[in-house]
Amino acid sequence: MRKKLPKHIGIIMDGNGRWAKRRGLPRVFGHKEGVKAVKRIVSYAAERGIKYLSLFAFSTENWNRPKDEVSALMKLLNEYLQKEINELIEKGVSLRVSGRVDMLPDETRQKLLDAIELSKNNNKLVLNLCLSYGGRSEIIDAAKNAAMDVASGKLTLEDFESKFDNYLYNPDIPDIDLLIRTSGEQRISNFMLYRIAYSELYFTQTLWPGFYEDELDLAIDEYQTRQRRFGKTDEQVKGN
Ligand code: FPP
């Protein structure tokens, strides 16, 4: 029997700073190597038939990092969007963003919106960049918008729960099946809180710049050994 691939993979790309520190280099070198890892993993995910990939590239809390590091990350992001957009389109990737985009510098936001528009008809892989992203902010933003729709009569309280995910940042992106975190930390750090309710978790000691295609294969292999029950019993899942 062919094993089921995760439809949506989320990655908390951690360990860029430590990767650089171990080599006696400034943190930004780790981020630069991190971008190379992003490129190879996006290509490989598309090749393997993954349909959705969400990458935690910048959190709402990351705004509190030293100013120089924040600007270096925004610069890397601008370069990535500028240099990679054609290749992303060639590979059939459709770009999305999740997060409080209005907080991004104008240039970055514009480049992002242009790249999203240019790639919107692609359907091999949806690449969801989580930028200025916080899982609690996403839920709060969704709850506010849903509450306003209740107040204006567009949404009923009876439908609130079943329709709630329509108010998340990208409503058509499904829940995360497999969540990967690099660098040995075992926590969620406010990533996609609503979408990870039933995700399988995969933690690795590998620092993000050292994450290669073979490790994505390992994570998918591990995922395929897991039995997903979504609250049901083993017997129900096996159809007995
Ligand atoms: C975590 O490592 C990584 C980040 C906060 C940024 C992730 C960004 C990239 C991989 C590059 C930009 C992305 C794109 C899509 C172009 P850390 O700095 O927290 O590492 P540490 O925990 O070792 O200090």
Side-chain angles (χ1 to χ4, degrees), residues 13-19 27 31-32 34-35 38 55-58 62 65 69 73 76-77 80 129 183 185 207-208:
M13 309 182 289
D14 198 8
N16 293 351
R18 274 163 285 170
W19 186 94
R27 294 176 57 81
H31 295 315
K32 281 188 184 153
V35 175
V38 167
L55 299 180
F56 203 3
F58 195 85
N62 288 154
R65 288 197 175 192
E69 186 170 341
L73 278 165
L76 284 175
L77 185 63
Y80 174 79
L129 290 183
S183 91
E185 313 290 352
L207 304 176
W208 176 248

